[in-house]
Amino acid sequence: MMLLYNKQKRNQNSKGNRFLVSINVLGSAGPIRFVVKEDETVANVMVYALKSYTRERRLPVLGSDIHDFVLYSPYSAAEALKPWEMIGVTGSRNFILCKKPETGEVGESKSSTPLVTNRKTSGSWKAWLNKSLALMIPSH
């Protein structure tokens, strides 16, 4: 009887592969690591990452609204992952979470300084991403 119970329990746990993800938050000291299912959506992974970030009292303080953030994969760094995509489809286990850039309206009376700042910010995260990717590629 106990043997049958253990087999059923193993079969329930084997539904859906799990893997360890590592999410680097732009501006934070180190990555957040946790286990997710392959069929988990990107939005759910972002929610869990933000909760873990807050629980660990990391700096800078980010907030918890996932609509203010984007998740990038090193394989498609030019384009953010869609929130409804499955995390396992990306083929990556390492991700970068950063705030969405603020966009200025054309008809606004503000100066163009925020747009210049956004360009500098996006350039710095791209440089950081390229540097990080270079470190992950083996030299031989």
Side-chain angles (χ1 to χ4, degrees), residues 4-64:
L4 180 61
Y5 174 74
N6 286 339
K7 284 184 181 180
Q8 288 175 347
K9 193 172 182 180
R10 275 190 232 134
N11 288 340
Q12 288 175 352
N13 290 340
S14 65
K15 291 180 183 177
N17 292 332
R18 296 174 183 256
F19 58 91
L20 181 70
V21 294
S22 178
I23 298 180
N24 286 303
V25 178
L26 195 62
S28 182
I32 298 170
R33 293 184 179 98
F34 52 91
V35 176
V36 297
K37 291 182 181 178
E38 269 186 338
D39 59 350
E40 199 71 46
T41 62
V42 170
N44 288 344
V45 171
M46 289 171 60
V47 166
Y48 191 76
L50 289 171
K51 284 181 181 179
S52 296
Y53 187 90
T54 304
R55 190 178 326 119
E56 294 175 12
R57 297 183 180 164
R58 292 182 177 227
L59 295 174
V61 176
L62 297 176
S64 61

Side-chain angles (χ1 to χ4, degrees), residues 56-117:
E56 294 175 12
R57 297 183 180 164
R58 292 182 177 227
L59 295 174
V61 176
L62 297 176
S64 61
D65 187 10
I66 66 165
H67 300 293
D68 294 339
F69 297 92
V70 288
L71 191 68
Y72 291 95
S73 169
Y75 299 120
S76 61
E79 188 175 319
L81 298 173
K82 309 288 188 274
W84 56 86
E85 288 180 325
M86 301 295 177
I87 198 75
V89 178
T90 62
S92 178
R93 303 298 184 247
N94 299 313
F95 301 94
I96 299 168
L97 182 71
C98 55
K99 284 200 171 208
K100 285 183 180 176
E102 296 178 12
T103 58
E105 296 288 327
V106 177
E108 285 185 29
S109 61
K110 294 180 181 178
S111 68
S112 63
T113 306
L115 295 176
V116 173
T117 305

Side-chain angles (χ1 to χ4, degrees), residues 127-138:
W128 176 83
L129 177 64
N130 287 334
K131 184 178 177 183
S132 297
L133 291 175
L135 293 174
M136 291 191 309
I137 299 172

